[in-house]
Amino acid sequence: MFLITPLEICFFFIICNGSVAFELHSFSSGRVTAVGELEASRTWISDTSDSKVMTCAAVWRMPKELESGSHESPDDSSSNTQTLELLCHLDNTAHGNMACVMWEPMGDGKKIISLADNNILLWDLQESSAEAVLSSSAALEGKGQLKFTSGRWSPHHNCTQIATANDTTVRGWDTRSMRQIYCIENAHGQLVRDLDFNPNKQYYLASCGDDCKVKFWDTRNVTEPVKTLEEHSHWVWNVRYNHSHDQLILTGSSDSRVILSNMVSISSEPFGHMVDDDELSDQEDQHQEEKIKEPLQDSVIATYEEHEDSVYAVEWSSADPWLFASLSYDGRLVINRVPRALKYHILL
């Protein structure tokens, strides 16, 4: 598991030989800037004689030099590798294996939601962040496979909604009442692997799964997907909207490919980047009119085949909207950029 922070730091989460290790890598310097390790305990490993492993989560603090807003960049910091500070555990021993952990997209960063087996757990971090208190929860009930596989916290609606996936079903939940607000049964023909909300259109949600498809939904009407992509030839593990330009969609699959798609027809700017009339000269105005008349088409921008094994994770950079990374089963991390021609077409 990995993500890219606003400081272009890559965060790795590794489990090996009963211990959990964390590494922070700087893209620009290419070196490890901080590490952390948690030895195996009853919280992480259970029934070791039967080779059963229990997954859970913990909250860590990054070194101050690497925090967002710090005047010192990772390259300027000392060459000595720094240590991450373990703050607290999210105790899920009574709820089962942890499948997903989500930070509240906005706010003071004191709320976390975790999915453990068939349970949704809402945690409040105390002022010191040294303790996480379970404030509310909900359990998924019914027939079929009731273990959650993925979840996503919506940045819209004052951060009061989340989406979860279990088996072939996608559900929406209100975090205030912990009640279900919509349900997409048979969203995919096989297991749903991942979800992501459009950052600019509040009702739009993307899903992907083992049926090799990526689907886009309007949660106000979930009878049919708004759009479906069928570009991969094996399970699709990840789907990610670009944080700034929501027409850019990134997917990673067990077919060892990363695909960058341009879904302009269902984006927040289906007619391209709009500018004020006073900002255009006569020549530019004519050119703009010609661009608007051009038919809008959704298309695959590029297919990246640098990986030799299943691609399990793709992420956009929080600092650079044109930078993205992918990680495969064999441990290969690949950094790519959106093609320059498309970048300028979107901006201009």
Side-chain angles (χ1 to χ4, degrees), residues 62 86 113 232 239 283 309 344:
M62 293 173 60
L86 174 62
I113 283 182
H232 286 286
V239 57
Q283 185 176 359
D309 216 325
Y344 289 124

Side-chain angles (χ1 to χ4, degrees), residues 36-79:
E37 184 171 343
L38 179 63
E39 293 301 327
S41 66
R42 65 177 185 87
T43 310
W44 294 92
I45 306 294
S46 64
D47 295 332
T48 53
S49 59
D50 297 330
S51 299
K52 293 181 180 179
V53 177
M54 183 174 183
T55 57
C56 64
V59 179
W60 299 71
R61 174 176 286 141
M62 293 173 60
K64 290 185 178 180
E65 293 79 1
L66 302 179
E67 289 181 0
S68 180
S70 171
H71 297 292
E72 188 178 14
S73 70
D75 293 334
D76 296 333
S77 60
S78 63
S79 57

Side-chain angles (χ1 to χ4, degrees), residues 309-337:
D309 216 325
S310 299
V311 179
Y312 284 162
V314 292
E315 285 291 348
W316 290 98
S317 168
S318 299
D320 183 345
W322 314 108
L323 181 73
F324 60 91
S326 55
L327 184 67
S328 56
Y329 176 78
D330 57 6
R332 178 176 294 183
L333 173 69
V334 178
I335 312 297
N336 276 301
R337 286 187 174 275

Side-chain angles (χ1 to χ4, degrees), residues 30 253 291 340 344:
S253 165
K291 284 178 65 177
R340 184 173 296 180
Y344 289 124

Side-chain angles (χ1 to χ4, degrees), residues 1-20:
M1 171 184 174
F2 79 106
L3 57 85
I4 306 174
T5 73
L7 296 175
E8 294 194 3
I9 302 285
C10 194
F11 177 68
F12 284 92
F13 171 58
I14 307 160
I15 300 179
C16 182
N17 296 328
S19 65
V20 181

